Amino acid sequence: MNLSMSSVESLVAQIHGLSSNIGELTQLRNYLKQCDDLLRTESTRLAPLLTELDPSVHSLGYLYILEACTSAPISKDQANKLVLSVARFINVCAAEQIRLAPEKFISICKRLMLQVMLLEDPMRGVAPLLTSIRKLQSSTEQLTTLHPDFMLLCLLSKCYKIGLSVLEDDIFEVDLPRDLFLYCYYGGMICIGQKQFRKALELLHNVVTAPMPIISAIAVEAYKKYILVSLIHLGQQFATSFPKYTSSAAQRNLKNFSQSYLELVNSYSTGKVSEVEKCVEIYKDTFGSDNNLGLVKQVVSSMYKRNIQRLTQTYLTLSLQDIANTVQLNSPKEAEMHVLQMIQEGDIYATINQKDGMVRFLEDPEQYKTCEMIERLDFSIQRIMRLSKKLTTMNEVMSCDPSYLGKVGKERQRFDYDDFYTVPSKFTI
Amino acid sequence: MEAEDDAAGAIIGDEEIYANVRDETDSQRHRPIISGEQLDVEAYAALYTGRTKTTRLLFIADKCGAPSMELEALRMAYDEIKKGENTQLFREVVGKINGRLGPNYALDDAWADAVDRRAELKKDKLENELNAYRTNLIKESIRMGYNDFGDFYYAHGQLGEAFKNYVRTRDYCTTSKHIIHMCLNAILLSIEMGQFTHVTSYVGKAEQTADGLDPVTIAKLRCAAGLSHLEGKKYKLAARKFLEVGPELGNNYTEVISPQDVATYGSLCALASFDRSELKSKVIDNTNFRNFLELVPEIRELINDFHTSHYASCLEYLGNLKTNLLLDIHLHDHVETLYEQIRSKALIQYTLPFVSVDLNMMANAFNTSVTGLEKELEALITNDQIQARIDSHNKILYARHADQRNGTFQRVLQTGNEFDRELRAMLLRANLIKHDYNLKAARKH
């Protein structure tokens, strides 16, 4: 269909007219859907239309036209302009309107990301994508397709703190499993970068144990990092067996892809730093090709920490020379440095007596009597109560679900007059 | 701190106790066979009869490492075998002797062939008899027939066949005496073959027969049960069984075990596994067991020392007994473990009553160095067997009792966090599954 100026103008007029309330907006959306092909064919000539529309009021219409505009291949100099215009749109658009056409919104955000990466300036994409996530989400518990892209941008531009702030939200609703995997994987990497190993472990654990019919490469990479982070955070308590709820595909296959990492776990469990270092030497190439060498080095240094921590359980005072011998460090000076670092990071409680060359290990001074502690307890209790309530509602919703009832009803015996089940069974007479 | 002074003072006195053993004061009794001196092979072998005598002699020859003792044992084994009919074992022993004992102890082919020929004849005869009995269907004779077969195979060293035949008599047993007879044979054979699971089951079977259990049989069954527990490394159960053996055992079970063995096995297992009160009530105050302990006075001293906290002398006795115990066929594999357990128990018991312990005094009491002691204590603390901490600077061990209140708070917070994490992960997974399910449902339509 040939586009004449009149139909374009009518399009603009429609947008102007139908943008006031939700009923009109749905009508507008249907109309725009019909015009989609039209818009696509005329993509190059649509730019002037944008000037006639106000993105904050006519967000839906603006979105469609913008999307059509950007669908054409973009040259490098135009990329900059594109980035600016999309970013501006994202900032001012109305959230309810764009939620009516989420796929279009997602596609322009993805294009923004692409351009930003081509321009090799990922930091420019961070803020717009953050805004876009907040606008697209129907609640903070929902994971959108934009989340993993946002995480990736944070990683590439090293804006870890922003990434962390998004990770603070609990996710309970997911559109696509693949989004979740990528989100957790990148999120885990951000947490590792910020040395928040507990949260990283949680995220990676979610990937590894998520239900998946076939194993995905993301899960394999996540498992490798999971092993390394658990060694750093939990030490020898790392269990190589999967929890019961892991999918069978994962249970069968994940270990095959991470043999060298499991070897590392074995050498770690011997408790000797020399063993671990030997293992690292052997598998250096594998670790390097997976970009995990940094993590592996952290694993080795965590070994020293664990050994020193074990000493606090058996000794009250110990000479630096003895520490150096037990933990296989080269000199008392090194031992002193390690202990000092651990005291500063809060891993152990001790005092160093340099005159005698002795370290005195103290008990954890936390007495659990302060107001802060009570507040912490209270906060935890409230949180758990909320979560439990959520669980109960979810249970109730599911027990009213017709497909569930149908399945349960089928397995019940027929002709049970004495039972008081409220679930109707299916009779076949 | 009085206890340690006593220990330090009493160490000198222990030498005298140890020296007493060599006196002739108990010459009217049997000279102790299992003692700190080198094992007297002849006296040791005199305690046993039957096949176990030969097996034990061969074991000693294998493990002792001293050529004189080895040759002595082999010589006795040769003599013993010549009295029986086991040509297979005969050839083995001759091979081991290797001509070192002179022409009298060489391979006597003539004798061996004669025995084999006799065996063939006997076997045919027995078979014919058995067939005759079987056609006659007289239960008692069939049972006797199988028994004879079993005896025959046992004498010739074919243990598997013997066992099978003994077990076959089960169908033809009519009185409980028969059943017990069968069980005892089966037990004997299982012990010889080293299949201790059978031992346990047959002991159970025998004990279940309502009547016909005279005290000697009960004692025999308890010994067998104890042996099987010992092999299964269940030292506590083994100790209990051995301690229940009555003095009626006497010398009635020498084809398996001697009373000295009962005393040794029982005491060592008890020391390694019983706690203090059980040790006192079941071992020291046990009048029945006292009869057995008299046969091995060193072990009796050892137990008393342990109970009265004279650890240095106790461990010294143990050290002396070790070489001889290693030559015992049943105890050989367990000596190390038992010794380790006894030593750990001694260390733990020493530190139990004190708030602080001077490591120097403790090292004296145990006759080791302070650094060695520190290492051992460290291992015990890491395994959570001692609740204490070591002050390495001043060489003092301080008892440490965990603060329950703080521990509880810590655990509460931790549990809360774990619950939080698990719940969130679970809700997420449920959502994923629901999503998958919806997708599949959508595809179906």
Side-chain angles (χ1 to χ4, degrees), chain A residues 170-177 180 198 202 206 209-211 213 245 311-318 322 356 358 361 363-364 366-369 373 376-377 383-384 387-388 390-391 394 403, chain B residues 374-375 377-378 381-382 388-395 398 400 403 405-407 409-410 412-413 415-417 419-437:
Chain A
D170 299 327
I171 301 288
F172 292 118
E173 273 176 61
V174 175
D175 291 335
L176 279 179
L180 178 70
R198 200 187 51 79
E202 201 182 306
N206 279 341
T209 57
Y245 42 78
L311 288 174
T312 64
Q313 292 302 315
T314 47
Y315 287 95
L316 264 185
T317 60
L318 195 57
D322 282 332
D356 297 331
M358 280 284 173
F361 297 118
E363 295 281 344
D364 181 357
E366 178 61 67
Q367 286 294 313
Y368 299 97
K369 286 184 188 151
M373 187 47 72
R376 236 178 96 184
L377 278 174
R383 201 180 142 82
I384 291 184
L387 274 178
S388 300
K390 202 178 174 63
L391 183 64
M394 197 164 171
S403 38
Chain B
E374 228 180 280
K375 288 263 167 294
L377 285 174
E378 188 183 329
I381 295 175
T382 322
R389 303 262 288 272
I390 303 177
D391 182 344
S392 181
H393 187 48
N394 302 322
K395 300 293 177 210
Y398 287 101
R400 173 237 215 164
D403 187 340
R405 183 177 171 279
N406 281 355
F409 268 99
Q410 225 173 359
V412 162
L413 281 173
T415 316
N417 281 337
F419 182 77
D420 188 298
R421 212 172 44 222
E422 297 278 324
L423 191 52
R424 273 185 294 125
M426 190 186 79
L427 287 173
L428 188 59
R429 275 198 301 277
N431 191 285
L432 278 177
I433 296 179
K434 188 165 78 158
H435 179 271
D436 245 356
Y437 183 76

Side-chain angles (χ1 to χ4, degrees), chain B residues 97-138:
Chain B
I97 293 181
N98 221 354
R100 286 178 286 173
L101 286 172
N104 285 341
Y105 292 95
L107 181 60
D108 195 348
D109 272 322
W111 177 84
D113 288 334
V115 167
D116 283 336
R117 252 178 287 125
R118 261 187 310 196
E120 277 301 312
L121 291 174
K122 182 145 188 223
K123 185 160 147 199
D124 291 333
K125 185 171 99 121
L126 283 175
E127 230 173 287
N128 290 335
E129 280 180 10
L130 187 62
N131 286 332
Y133 294 146
R134 274 220 286 255
T135 41
N136 286 340
L137 283 181
I138 309 172

